[in-house]
Amino acid sequence: QVQLVESGGGSVQAGGSLRLSCAASGYTYSSNCVGWFRQAPGKEREGVAAICTRGGTFYAGSVKGRFTISQDTAKKTKYLQMNSLKPEDTAMYYCAAERPGATGWVLTPGRYNDWGQGTQVTVSS
């Protein structure tokens, strides 16, 4: 079991930027993919971005071109650089590691386990 802790959230005006970090602690294991997800009040959790083995990256259409996912394997940390933020990006953001044997579309929340506690991102107009 791996523990994930997100940080870097906050309040920013539209057009601003934030960089989210997700640090792993305790026992860690290799996952095919690691991802960022978000959930706004009253909305379902949705996939934002993921990075998988062999360097493949995936993005939700709503964030493509604005967000960039990356990771530092040695530091067991993954990042989500968010630029040109919009009010509709406001949500609780979570990082997660893919569970063993996961199947389905890479940005489907059900593929992931070991979720972090979340970090709030609020974008004002």
Side-chain angles (χ1 to χ4, degrees), residues 78-117:
K78 54 189 178 182
Y79 308 95
L80 184 68
Q81 178 67 46
M82 306 186 295
N83 298 325
S84 301
L85 283 163
K86 304 175 180 180
E88 50 263 46
D89 295 318
T90 296
M92 185 73 75
Y93 282 71
Y94 302 87
C95 64
E98 191 177 60
R99 58 181 169 84
T103 59
W105 169 236
V106 68
L107 292 181
T108 300
R111 285 174 56 107
Y112 295 80
N113 205 350
D114 298 324
W115 295 82
Q117 85 291 343

mmCIF file of all heavy atoms in Angstrom, residues 78-117:
data_model
loop_
_atom_site.group_PDB
_atom_site.id
_atom_site.type_symbol
_atom_site.label_atom_id
_atom_site.label_comp_id
_atom_site.label_asym_id
_atom_site.label_seq_id
_atom_site.Cartn_x
_atom_site.Cartn_y
_atom_site.Cartn_z
ATOM 1 N N LYS A 78 4.861 12.979 -8.461
ATOM 2 C CA LYS A 78 4.297 13.345 -9.746
ATOM 3 C C LYS A 78 3.730 14.753 -9.667
ATOM 4 O O LYS A 78 3.396 15.241 -8.586
ATOM 5 C CB LYS A 78 3.236 12.349 -10.215
ATOM 6 C CG LYS A 78 2.109 12.090 -9.235
ATOM 7 C CD LYS A 78 1.259 10.921 -9.729
ATOM 8 C CE LYS A 78 0.145 10.588 -8.742
ATOM 9 N NZ LYS A 78 -0.648 9.424 -9.186
ATOM 10 N N TYR A 79 3.636 15.390 -10.809
ATOM 11 C CA TYR A 79 3.267 16.787 -10.864
ATOM 12 C C TYR A 79 2.177 17.026 -11.894
ATOM 13 O O TYR A 79 2.030 16.289 -12.863
ATOM 14 C CB TYR A 79 4.481 17.647 -11.233
ATOM 15 C CG TYR A 79 5.689 17.400 -10.368
ATOM 16 C CD1 TYR A 79 6.682 16.506 -10.757
ATOM 17 C CD2 TYR A 79 5.841 18.064 -9.154
ATOM 18 C CE1 TYR A 79 7.789 16.277 -9.966
ATOM 19 C CE2 TYR A 79 6.946 17.839 -8.354
ATOM 20 C CZ TYR A 79 7.918 16.947 -8.764
ATOM 21 O OH TYR A 79 9.014 16.722 -7.966
ATOM 22 N N LEU A 80 1.441 18.075 -11.660
ATOM 23 C CA LEU A 80 0.488 18.550 -12.644
ATOM 24 C C LEU A 80 0.663 20.057 -12.745
ATOM 25 O O LEU A 80 0.287 20.798 -11.835
ATOM 26 C CB LEU A 80 -0.951 18.206 -12.259
ATOM 27 C CG LEU A 80 -2.008 18.588 -13.296
ATOM 28 C CD1 LEU A 80 -1.851 17.729 -14.555
ATOM 29 C CD2 LEU A 80 -3.411 18.444 -12.729
ATOM 30 N N GLN A 81 1.266 20.490 -13.831
ATOM 31 C CA GLN A 81 1.412 21.911 -14.096
ATOM 32 C C GLN A 81 0.147 22.390 -14.779
ATOM 33 O O GLN A 81 -0.221 21.886 -15.844
ATOM 34 C CB GLN A 81 2.631 22.173 -14.985
ATOM 35 C CG GLN A 81 2.834 23.633 -15.341
ATOM 36 C CD GLN A 81 3.190 24.483 -14.147
ATOM 37 O OE1 GLN A 81 4.047 24.103 -13.354
ATOM 38 N NE2 GLN A 81 2.528 25.624 -14.002
ATOM 39 N N MET A 82 -0.516 23.351 -14.176
ATOM 40 C CA MET A 82 -1.776 23.851 -14.687
ATOM 41 C C MET A 82 -1.607 25.315 -15.069
ATOM 42 O O MET A 82 -1.337 26.159 -14.218
ATOM 43 C CB MET A 82 -2.889 23.699 -13.647
ATOM 44 C CG MET A 82 -3.042 22.272 -13.122
ATOM 45 S SD MET A 82 -4.477 22.077 -12.028
ATOM 46 C CE MET A 82 -3.983 23.140 -10.673
ATOM 47 N N ASN A 83 -1.751 25.593 -16.337
ATOM 48 C CA ASN A 83 -1.636 26.945 -16.855
ATOM 49 C C ASN A 83 -2.974 27.386 -17.439
ATOM 50 O O ASN A 83 -3.846 26.574 -17.728
ATOM 51 C CB ASN A 83 -0.553 27.024 -17.931
ATOM 52 C CG ASN A 83 0.821 26.672 -17.427
ATOM 53 O OD1 ASN A 83 1.166 26.973 -16.289
ATOM 54 N ND2 ASN A 83 1.628 26.046 -18.280
ATOM 55 N N SER A 84 -3.103 28.682 -17.629
ATOM 56 C CA SER A 84 -4.318 29.253 -18.215
ATOM 57 C C SER A 84 -5.563 28.726 -17.525
ATOM 58 O O SER A 84 -6.526 28.299 -18.171
ATOM 59 C CB SER A 84 -4.369 28.950 -19.720
ATOM 60 O OG SER A 84 -3.237 29.475 -20.384
ATOM 61 N N LEU A 85 -5.547 28.761 -16.222
ATOM 62 C CA LEU A 85 -6.649 28.203 -15.453
ATOM 63 C C LEU A 85 -7.948 28.961 -15.695
ATOM 64 O O LEU A 85 -7.953 30.179 -15.885
ATOM 65 C CB LEU A 85 -6.308 28.207 -13.969
ATOM 66 C CG LEU A 85 -5.336 27.102 -13.551
ATOM 67 C CD1 LEU A 85 -4.716 27.409 -12.198
ATOM 68 C CD2 LEU A 85 -6.063 25.755 -13.503
ATOM 69 N N LYS A 86 -9.023 28.211 -15.685
ATOM 70 C CA LYS A 86 -10.360 28.740 -15.901
ATOM 71 C C LYS A 86 -11.222 28.459 -14.680
ATOM 72 O O LYS A 86 -10.963 27.512 -13.940
ATOM 73 C CB LYS A 86 -10.995 28.086 -17.135
ATOM 74 C CG LYS A 86 -10.184 28.217 -18.413
ATOM 75 C CD LYS A 86 -10.841 27.424 -19.541
ATOM 76 C CE LYS A 86 -10.042 27.540 -20.822
ATOM 77 N NZ LYS A 86 -10.675 26.762 -21.927
ATOM 78 N N PRO A 87 -12.269 29.252 -14.473
ATOM 79 C CA PRO A 87 -13.149 28.992 -13.325
ATOM 80 C C PRO A 87 -13.690 27.568 -13.311
ATOM 81 O O PRO A 87 -13.874 26.997 -12.231
ATOM 82 C CB PRO A 87 -14.271 30.016 -13.515
ATOM 83 C CG PRO A 87 -13.597 31.157 -14.205
ATOM 84 C CD PRO A 87 -12.625 30.507 -15.158
ATOM 85 N N GLU A 88 -13.939 26.987 -14.465
ATOM 86 C CA GLU A 88 -14.455 25.627 -14.515
ATOM 87 C C GLU A 88 -13.439 24.576 -14.088
ATOM 88 O O GLU A 88 -13.784 23.402 -13.958
ATOM 89 C CB GLU A 88 -14.999 25.295 -15.911
ATOM 90 C CG GLU A 88 -14.045 25.633 -17.037
ATOM 91 C CD GLU A 88 -14.344 26.985 -17.669
ATOM 92 O OE1 GLU A 88 -14.556 27.967 -16.926
ATOM 93 O OE2 GLU A 88 -14.370 27.058 -18.916
ATOM 94 N N ASP A 89 -12.191 24.978 -13.874
ATOM 95 C CA ASP A 89 -11.192 24.072 -13.335
ATOM 96 C C ASP A 89 -11.295 23.942 -11.823
ATOM 97 O O ASP A 89 -10.596 23.117 -11.223
ATOM 98 C CB ASP A 89 -9.776 24.535 -13.701
ATOM 99 C CG ASP A 89 -9.502 24.483 -15.191
ATOM 100 O OD1 ASP A 89 -9.909 23.503 -15.842
ATOM 101 O OD2 ASP A 89 -8.872 25.428 -15.708
ATOM 102 N N THR A 90 -12.130 24.742 -11.196
ATOM 103 C CA THR A 90 -12.289 24.698 -9.755
ATOM 104 C C THR A 90 -12.791 23.326 -9.325
ATOM 105 O O THR A 90 -13.823 22.851 -9.793
ATOM 106 C CB THR A 90 -13.265 25.784 -9.295
ATOM 107 O OG1 THR A 90 -12.715 27.071 -9.581
ATOM 108 C CG2 THR A 90 -13.526 25.678 -7.795
ATOM 109 N N ALA A 91 -12.054 22.692 -8.438
ATOM 110 C CA ALA A 91 -12.399 21.354 -7.972
ATOM 111 C C ALA A 91 -11.389 20.909 -6.933
ATOM 112 O O ALA A 91 -10.362 21.556 -6.725
ATOM 113 C CB ALA A 91 -12.412 20.360 -9.138
ATOM 114 N N MET A 92 -11.702 19.800 -6.290
ATOM 115 C CA MET A 92 -10.717 19.112 -5.478
ATOM 116 C C MET A 92 -9.934 18.200 -6.406
ATOM 117 O O MET A 92 -10.530 17.425 -7.162
ATOM 118 C CB MET A 92 -11.390 18.303 -4.373
ATOM 119 C CG MET A 92 -10.420 17.647 -3.407
ATOM 120 S SD MET A 92 -9.644 18.828 -2.272
ATOM 121 C CE MET A 92 -11.016 19.148 -1.150
ATOM 122 N N TYR A 93 -8.638 18.308 -6.361
ATOM 123 C CA TYR A 93 -7.778 17.521 -7.232
ATOM 124 C C TYR A 93 -7.115 16.394 -6.449
ATOM 125 O O TYR A 93 -6.589 16.605 -5.355
ATOM 126 C CB TYR A 93 -6.712 18.401 -7.879
ATOM 127 C CG TYR A 93 -7.246 19.220 -9.027
ATOM 128 C CD1 TYR A 93 -8.105 20.282 -8.791
ATOM 129 C CD2 TYR A 93 -6.905 18.921 -10.348
ATOM 130 C CE1 TYR A 93 -8.622 21.029 -9.837
ATOM 131 C CE2 TYR A 93 -7.413 19.666 -11.397
ATOM 132 C CZ TYR A 93 -8.267 20.719 -11.139
ATOM 133 O OH TYR A 93 -8.771 21.460 -12.180
ATOM 134 N N TYR A 94 -7.143 15.209 -7.025
ATOM 135 C CA TYR A 94 -6.594 14.024 -6.398
ATOM 136 C C TYR A 94 -5.564 13.378 -7.306
ATOM 137 O O TYR A 94 -5.716 13.370 -8.525
ATOM 138 C CB TYR A 94 -7.685 12.982 -6.126
ATOM 139 C CG TYR A 94 -8.821 13.447 -5.258
ATOM 140 C CD1 TYR A 94 -9.927 14.087 -5.807
ATOM 141 C CD2 TYR A 94 -8.798 13.218 -3.885
ATOM 142 C CE1 TYR A 94 -10.981 14.501 -5.013
ATOM 143 C CE2 TYR A 94 -9.853 13.631 -3.083
ATOM 144 C CZ TYR A 94 -10.942 14.268 -3.655
ATOM 145 O OH TYR A 94 -11.986 14.670 -2.860
ATOM 146 N N CYS A 95 -4.534 12.815 -6.710
ATOM 147 C CA CYS A 95 -3.642 11.956 -7.464
ATOM 148 C C CYS A 95 -3.911 10.520 -7.055
ATOM 149 O O CYS A 95 -4.452 10.251 -5.983
ATOM 150 C CB CYS A 95 -2.172 12.321 -7.239
ATOM 151 S SG CYS A 95 -1.561 12.111 -5.555
ATOM 152 N N ALA A 96 -3.564 9.608 -7.921
ATOM 153 C CA ALA A 96 -3.840 8.210 -7.658
ATOM 154 C C ALA A 96 -2.911 7.326 -8.461
ATOM 155 O O ALA A 96 -2.411 7.719 -9.516
ATOM 156 C CB ALA A 96 -5.297 7.881 -8.000
ATOM 157 N N ALA A 97 -2.701 6.136 -7.945
ATOM 158 C CA ALA A 97 -1.913 5.128 -8.628
ATOM 159 C C ALA A 97 -2.835 4.041 -9.131
ATOM 160 O O ALA A 97 -3.772 3.633 -8.441
ATOM 161 C CB ALA A 97 -0.860 4.529 -7.693
ATOM 162 N N GLU A 98 -2.578 3.593 -10.322
ATOM 163 C CA GLU A 98 -3.395 2.552 -10.925
ATOM 164 C C GLU A 98 -3.300 1.260 -10.123
ATOM 165 O O GLU A 98 -2.218 0.867 -9.694
ATOM 166 C CB GLU A 98 -2.949 2.323 -12.362
ATOM 167 C CG GLU A 98 -3.880 1.458 -13.181
ATOM 168 C CD GLU A 98 -3.407 1.332 -14.618
ATOM 169 O OE1 GLU A 98 -2.285 0.835 -14.827
ATOM 170 O OE2 GLU A 98 -4.152 1.743 -15.526
ATOM 171 N N ARG A 99 -4.411 0.610 -9.937
ATOM 172 C CA ARG A 99 -4.422 -0.642 -9.205
ATOM 173 C C ARG A 99 -4.012 -1.790 -10.115
ATOM 174 O O ARG A 99 -4.178 -1.721 -11.340
ATOM 175 C CB ARG A 99 -5.803 -0.900 -8.604
ATOM 176 C CG ARG A 99 -6.940 -0.959 -9.610
ATOM 177 C CD ARG A 99 -8.264 -1.190 -8.884
ATOM 178 N NE ARG A 99 -9.399 -1.003 -9.764
ATOM 179 C CZ ARG A 99 -9.870 -1.929 -10.579
ATOM 180 N NH1 ARG A 99 -9.285 -3.127 -10.632
ATOM 181 N NH2 ARG A 99 -10.922 -1.671 -11.337
ATOM 182 N N PRO A 100 -3.458 -2.843 -9.528
ATOM 183 C CA PRO A 100 -3.044 -3.989 -10.343
ATOM 184 C C PRO A 100 -4.204 -4.560 -11.134
ATOM 185 O O PRO A 100 -5.318 -4.692 -10.630
ATOM 186 C CB PRO A 100 -2.529 -4.997 -9.303
ATOM 187 C CG PRO A 100 -2.121 -4.161 -8.141
ATOM 188 C CD PRO A 100 -3.119 -3.036 -8.106
ATOM 189 N N GLY A 101 -3.927 -4.885 -12.352
ATOM 190 C CA GLY A 101 -4.925 -5.509 -13.192
ATOM 191 C C GLY A 101 -6.002 -4.579 -13.707
ATOM 192 O O GLY A 101 -7.016 -5.049 -14.229
ATOM 193 N N ALA A 102 -5.788 -3.284 -13.575
ATOM 194 C CA ALA A 102 -6.793 -2.334 -14.027
ATOM 195 C C ALA A 102 -6.988 -2.415 -15.534
ATOM 196 O O ALA A 102 -6.044 -2.629 -16.294
ATOM 197 C CB ALA A 102 -6.394 -0.920 -13.629
ATOM 198 N N THR A 103 -8.209 -2.232 -15.935
ATOM 199 C CA THR A 103 -8.547 -2.232 -17.355
ATOM 200 C C THR A 103 -9.466 -1.058 -17.655
ATOM 201 O O THR A 103 -10.049 -0.458 -16.757
ATOM 202 C CB THR A 103 -9.242 -3.537 -17.771
ATOM 203 O OG1 THR A 103 -10.436 -3.712 -17.008
ATOM 204 C CG2 THR A 103 -8.321 -4.735 -17.551
ATOM 205 N N GLY A 104 -9.590 -0.760 -18.912
ATOM 206 C CA GLY A 104 -10.459 0.319 -19.329
ATOM 207 C C GLY A 104 -9.691 1.560 -19.757
ATOM 208 O O GLY A 104 -8.457 1.596 -19.736
ATOM 209 N N TRP A 105 -10.445 2.581 -20.121
ATOM 210 C CA TRP A 105 -9.853 3.836 -20.539
ATOM 211 C C TRP A 105 -8.964 4.403 -19.439
ATOM 212 O O TRP A 105 -9.331 4.395 -18.262
ATOM 213 C CB TRP A 105 -10.946 4.826 -20.925
ATOM 214 C CG TRP A 105 -10.494 6.235 -21.122
ATOM 215 C CD1 TRP A 105 -10.964 7.348 -20.500
ATOM 216 C CD2 TRP A 105 -9.469 6.699 -22.022
ATOM 217 N NE1 TRP A 105 -10.313 8.465 -20.945
ATOM 218 C CE2 TRP A 105 -9.389 8.101 -21.883
ATOM 219 C CE3 TRP A 105 -8.616 6.060 -22.927
ATOM 220 C CZ2 TRP A 105 -8.487 8.884 -22.610
ATOM 221 C CZ3 TRP A 105 -7.721 6.840 -23.649
ATOM 222 C CH2 TRP A 105 -7.665 8.228 -23.491
ATOM 223 N N VAL A 106 -7.817 4.918 -19.813
ATOM 224 C CA VAL A 106 -6.783 5.303 -18.858
ATOM 225 C C VAL A 106 -7.242 6.379 -17.875
ATOM 226 O O VAL A 106 -6.742 6.444 -16.749
ATOM 227 C CB VAL A 106 -5.511 5.742 -19.609
ATOM 228 C CG1 VAL A 106 -5.740 7.052 -20.359
ATOM 229 C CG2 VAL A 106 -4.335 5.849 -18.660
ATOM 230 N N LEU A 107 -8.189 7.213 -18.246
ATOM 231 C CA LEU A 107 -8.644 8.283 -17.361
ATOM 232 C C LEU A 107 -9.929 7.937 -16.623
ATOM 233 O O LEU A 107 -10.618 8.820 -16.115
ATOM 234 C CB LEU A 107 -8.819 9.582 -18.149
ATOM 235 C CG LEU A 107 -7.522 10.214 -18.677
ATOM 236 C CD1 LEU A 107 -7.826 11.506 -19.418
ATOM 237 C CD2 LEU A 107 -6.543 10.471 -17.540
ATOM 238 N N THR A 108 -10.238 6.666 -16.549
ATOM 239 C CA THR A 108 -11.384 6.216 -15.781
ATOM 240 C C THR A 108 -10.987 6.067 -14.318
ATOM 241 O O THR A 108 -10.056 5.325 -14.005
ATOM 242 C CB THR A 108 -11.902 4.873 -16.312
ATOM 243 O OG1 THR A 108 -12.292 5.020 -17.682
ATOM 244 C CG2 THR A 108 -13.101 4.396 -15.507
ATOM 245 N N PRO A 109 -11.650 6.765 -13.399
ATOM 246 C CA PRO A 109 -11.253 6.692 -11.985
ATOM 247 C C PRO A 109 -11.197 5.279 -11.428
ATOM 248 O O PRO A 109 -10.364 4.994 -10.566
ATOM 249 C CB PRO A 109 -12.328 7.536 -11.279
ATOM 250 C CG PRO A 109 -12.750 8.527 -12.315
ATOM 251 C CD PRO A 109 -12.726 7.760 -13.609
ATOM 252 N N GLY A 110 -12.069 4.401 -11.905
ATOM 253 C CA GLY A 110 -12.104 3.044 -11.402
ATOM 254 C C GLY A 110 -10.845 2.243 -11.640
ATOM 255 O O GLY A 110 -10.660 1.189 -11.026
ATOM 256 N N ARG A 111 -9.979 2.703 -12.506
ATOM 257 C CA ARG A 111 -8.703 2.026 -12.734
ATOM 258 C C ARG A 111 -7.707 2.255 -11.610
ATOM 259 O O ARG A 111 -6.704 1.549 -11.530
ATOM 260 C CB ARG A 111 -8.071 2.520 -14.038
ATOM 261 C CG ARG A 111 -8.703 1.998 -15.314
ATOM 262 C CD ARG A 111 -8.079 2.682 -16.538
ATOM 263 N NE ARG A 111 -6.633 2.537 -16.612
ATOM 264 C CZ ARG A 111 -5.979 1.751 -17.463
ATOM 265 N NH1 ARG A 111 -6.673 1.004 -18.337
ATOM 266 N NH2 ARG A 111 -4.666 1.702 -17.461
ATOM 267 N N TYR A 112 -7.983 3.206 -10.743
ATOM 268 C CA TYR A 112 -6.968 3.669 -9.797
ATOM 269 C C TYR A 112 -7.309 3.356 -8.354
ATOM 270 O O TYR A 112 -8.477 3.279 -7.963
ATOM 271 C CB TYR A 112 -6.749 5.177 -9.970
ATOM 272 C CG TYR A 112 -6.174 5.504 -11.331
ATOM 273 C CD1 TYR A 112 -6.988 5.561 -12.450
ATOM 274 C CD2 TYR A 112 -4.818 5.722 -11.482
ATOM 275 C CE1 TYR A 112 -6.461 5.822 -13.704
ATOM 276 C CE2 TYR A 112 -4.277 5.991 -12.730
ATOM 277 C CZ TYR A 112 -5.105 6.034 -13.839
ATOM 278 O OH TYR A 112 -4.575 6.296 -15.076
ATOM 279 N N ASN A 113 -6.260 3.209 -7.568
ATOM 280 C CA ASN A 113 -6.375 2.941 -6.147
ATOM 281 C C ASN A 113 -5.369 3.834 -5.423
ATOM 282 O O ASN A 113 -4.655 4.617 -6.042
ATOM 283 C CB ASN A 113 -6.110 1.463 -5.857
ATOM 284 C CG ASN A 113 -6.778 0.990 -4.584
ATOM 285 O OD1 ASN A 113 -7.294 1.790 -3.799
ATOM 286 N ND2 ASN A 113 -6.766 -0.313 -4.372
ATOM 287 N N ASP A 114 -5.296 3.731 -4.130
ATOM 288 C CA ASP A 114 -4.348 4.495 -3.321
ATOM 289 C C ASP A 114 -4.467 5.991 -3.571
ATOM 290 O O ASP A 114 -3.491 6.685 -3.861
ATOM 291 C CB ASP A 114 -2.912 4.027 -3.601
ATOM 292 C CG ASP A 114 -2.689 2.571 -3.238
ATOM 293 O OD1 ASP A 114 -3.267 2.117 -2.237
ATOM 294 O OD2 ASP A 114 -1.935 1.886 -3.954
ATOM 295 N N TRP A 115 -5.660 6.487 -3.448
ATOM 296 C CA TRP A 115 -5.939 7.896 -3.678
ATOM 297 C C TRP A 115 -5.382 8.782 -2.574
ATOM 298 O O TRP A 115 -5.387 8.418 -1.398
ATOM 299 C CB TRP A 115 -7.444 8.128 -3.767
ATOM 300 C CG TRP A 115 -8.068 7.469 -4.947
ATOM 301 C CD1 TRP A 115 -8.445 6.160 -5.060
ATOM 302 C CD2 TRP A 115 -8.384 8.085 -6.193
ATOM 303 N NE1 TRP A 115 -8.987 5.927 -6.310
ATOM 304 C CE2 TRP A 115 -8.962 7.091 -7.021
ATOM 305 C CE3 TRP A 115 -8.247 9.388 -6.691
ATOM 306 C CZ2 TRP A 115 -9.391 7.369 -8.320
ATOM 307 C CZ3 TRP A 115 -8.674 9.661 -7.981
ATOM 308 C CH2 TRP A 115 -9.235 8.646 -8.775
ATOM 309 N N GLY A 116 -4.914 9.956 -2.963
ATOM 310 C CA GLY A 116 -4.501 10.945 -1.990
ATOM 311 C C GLY A 116 -5.706 11.615 -1.363
ATOM 312 O O GLY A 116 -6.860 11.340 -1.712
ATOM 313 N N GLN A 117 -5.449 12.528 -0.433
ATOM 314 C CA GLN A 117 -6.528 13.191 0.282
ATOM 315 C C GLN A 117 -7.135 14.345 -0.503
ATOM 316 O O GLN A 117 -8.212 14.832 -0.169
ATOM 317 C CB GLN A 117 -6.032 13.701 1.642
ATOM 318 C CG GLN A 117 -5.367 15.072 1.637
ATOM 319 C CD GLN A 117 -4.020 15.096 0.941
ATOM 320 O OE1 GLN A 117 -3.398 14.062 0.712
ATOM 321 N NE2 GLN A 117 -3.553 16.308 0.606
#
